[in-house]
Amino acid sequence: MHAYPHGTTSTPTAVAVPPSLSLPVIEAAFPRQLHPYWPQLQEKTRAWLLEKRLMPADKVEEYADGLCYTDLMAGYYLGAPDEVLQAIADYSSWFFVWDDRHDRDIIHGRSAAWRRLRYRLHAATDSPQDHLHHEDPLVAGFADSVLRLYAFLPRTWNARFARHFHDVIEAYDREFRNRTEGIVPGVEEYLALRRLTFAHWIWTDLLEPCAGRELPDSVRKHPAYRRAALLSQEFAAWYNDLCSLPKEIAGDEVHNLGISLIKHEGLTLEQAVTELRGRVEDCISEFLVVERDTLRLADSLIDGTMRGKELGVAVRACVGNMRNWFSTVYWFHHESGRYMVDSWDDRSTPPYVNNEAAGEK
């Protein structure tokens, strides 16, 4: 399957987007781009999923390309060295498989299985080399991808990535409890939790190996840079919530901004959709303003020294890829088989999920 089968990087795609989900500003002002390594990326990630036994061979054959996981990463991390993009794409594919396991554990009430996996992932985050041959393919696959990611930048970056991923694991545990107990979090609680379950700071951390250097705290914590990074991720999380709201209400879900607005703010479904869409559009508008501020920051770093020039170029690369996140996430939601629920035989069970492989006996 070819990425962007209905268009190129310079012409709009022909994929039909429902009017309620259409964002003309994305289609007009955020042109799609694709890393030239994408064809090899798709092939090698497919082989990696098989090698690590993360998906059965028949599922990989039938669904892997159509899920568009490599398209998502190849549209985001432009300019990355091939080996960096490959490690990120494998890790991203692993993340989707982990998310599916988490969902299956909740649906089937496997609290003990989830608890074991939670502890194992914490351990593998800190010492991936010790978990490369773990009996659980999900743990071993995680260890493999993270060990490769840890090879690109200094230990300080590795420690930050690990710290952020420990937070993600614990957020997934809170989501597990909320869904198991039917707790709909309040709006502010949900927004804070969503930043972790969507792994905002993980995807932001990964901009740096793509740019070839770790950014100093003075840049990463600069208000403009941090705001631009957050807006790109908030857009993705909230657009995901907008796209999935109807099916998640039908499935008695509890983790969606729209559901929190309905439950705790008294909004109707129509009002919640309007509010969600407004927040998504505000992310885009504010990003376009903050993007300029962040590019000015990059220019200010170019002070006549080699270090300053390299740092300024790296910041520009990171901000450019924050911009790419808008278009690649937008189209991913309308092209990936992950979201084509109406085509599934059973709306409660994704066809690309293998229950036995996930531990169901």
Side-chain angles (χ1 to χ4, degrees):
M1 177 180 177
H2 297 289
Y4 311 166
H6 303 290
T8 70
T9 56
S10 59
T11 58
T13 181
V15 172
V17 179
S20 62
L21 303 176
S22 175
L23 296 172
V25 66
I26 294 293
E27 299 179 29
F30 291 79
R32 305 183 77 177
Q33 301 183 73
L34 188 69
H35 197 292
Y37 180 66
W38 174 78
Q40 298 98 308
L41 186 72
Q42 185 183 57
E43 179 182 347
K44 290 184 178 180
T45 293
R46 192 191 311 122
W48 185 80
L49 288 168
L50 282 172
E51 176 193 346
K52 299 303 176 184
R53 298 180 293 123
L54 290 168
M55 291 177 69
D58 60 330
K59 301 289 186 183
V60 171
E61 177 66 27
E62 187 169 358
Y63 298 108
D65 290 357
L67 290 169
C68 299
Y69 296 161
T70 55
D71 302 39
L72 180 66
M73 294 298 108
Y76 182 17
Y77 294 108
L78 285 235
D82 293 352
E83 64 273 17
V84 173
L85 185 61
Q86 187 66 64
I88 292 174
D90 291 349
Y91 169 76
S92 171
S93 296
W94 172 89
F95 204 110
F96 281 113
V97 175
W98 177 46
D99 187 73
D100 293 334
R101 169 84 73 88
H102 179 259
D103 181 67
R104 295 291 98 189
D105 282 350
I106 293 168
I107 288 172
H108 294 282
R110 298 198 302 259
S111 298
W114 164 249
R115 190 162 53 249
R116 284 193 302 271
L117 179 59
R118 171 191 169 200
Y119 293 144
R120 288 167 175 174
L121 290 177
H122 275 305
T125 301
D126 291 330
S127 57
Q129 66 280 359
D130 296 332
H131 293 78
L132 291 172
H133 306 290
H134 196 280
E135 62 182 1
D136 186 337
L138 202 66
V139 177
F142 171 76
D144 178 83
S145 63
V146 169
L147 189 62
R148 288 152 61 202
L149 291 173
Y150 284 175
F152 299 123
L153 291 179
R155 290 182 180 180
T156 46
W157 184 92
N158 297 349
R160 175 171 22 114
F161 181 95
R163 184 171 67 252
H164 286 159
F165 194 72
H166 284 307
D167 289 343
V168 170
I169 296 169
E170 288 306 292
Y172 262 68
D173 187 55
R174 291 199 294 279
E175 180 178 338
F176 190 101
R177 294 198 303 272
N178 285 345
R179 289 180 60 186
T180 300
E181 298 170 15
I183 298 171
V184 178
V187 172
E188 292 306 315
E189 178 188 354
Y190 174 77
L191 292 176
L193 184 59
R194 185 63 160 144
R195 288 174 187 136
L196 296 173
T197 58
F198 200 84
H200 281 23
W201 302 117
I202 290 290
W203 307 119
T204 302
D205 288 338
L206 289 169
L207 292 168
E208 294 170 57
C210 295
R213 66 175 299 142
E214 181 180 19
L215 299 181
D217 285 355
S218 59
V219 170
R220 290 189 303 101
K221 296 181 179 180
H222 189 283
Y225 184 90
R226 190 167 179 82
R227 187 62 182 166
L230 180 62
L231 287 166
S232 73
Q233 296 297 320
E234 298 280 53
F235 164 81
W238 297 346
Y239 190 69
N240 178 272
D241 280 3
L242 179 65
C243 291
S244 59
L245 180 58
K247 79 175 179 67
E248 291 189 345
I249 289 177
D252 293 324
E253 253 283 14
V254 300
H255 268 245
N256 186 295
L257 178 54
I259 293 173
S260 290
L261 289 165
I262 292 168
K263 172 73 174 179
H264 295 285
E265 304 292 333
L267 273 59
T268 64
L269 173 59
E270 292 74 17
Q271 290 170 332
V273 168
T274 299
E275 173 68 17
L276 257 174
R277 187 179 175 92
R279 287 178 181 246
V280 165
E281 291 172 339
D282 287 346
C283 278
I284 301 168
S285 299
E286 188 180 349
F287 177 82
L288 291 171
V289 174
V290 177
E291 178 186 37
R292 293 195 293 270
D293 296 336
T294 314
L295 291 173
R296 281 195 289 270
L297 168 65
D299 290 343
S300 73
L301 297 169
I302 302 175
D303 57 5
T305 67
M306 182 58 68
R307 180 186 180 278
K309 179 181 179 180
E310 290 176 351
L311 185 55
V313 168
V315 172
R316 275 192 164 271
C318 290
V319 177
N321 281 336
M322 291 176 196
R323 163 178 274 273
N324 290 334
W325 194 226
F326 286 85
S327 59
T328 196
V329 162
Y330 178 75
W331 293 113
F332 175 68
H333 278 84
H334 303 295
E335 295 174 350
S336 171
R338 191 174 180 85
Y339 302 102
M340 296 180 182
V341 182
D342 291 339
S343 68
W344 300 353
D345 292 336
D346 178 358
R347 291 173 63 91
S348 68
T349 305
Y352 49 83
V353 169
N354 181 281
N355 285 333
E356 184 174 340
E360 298 175 22
K361 301 293 185 183

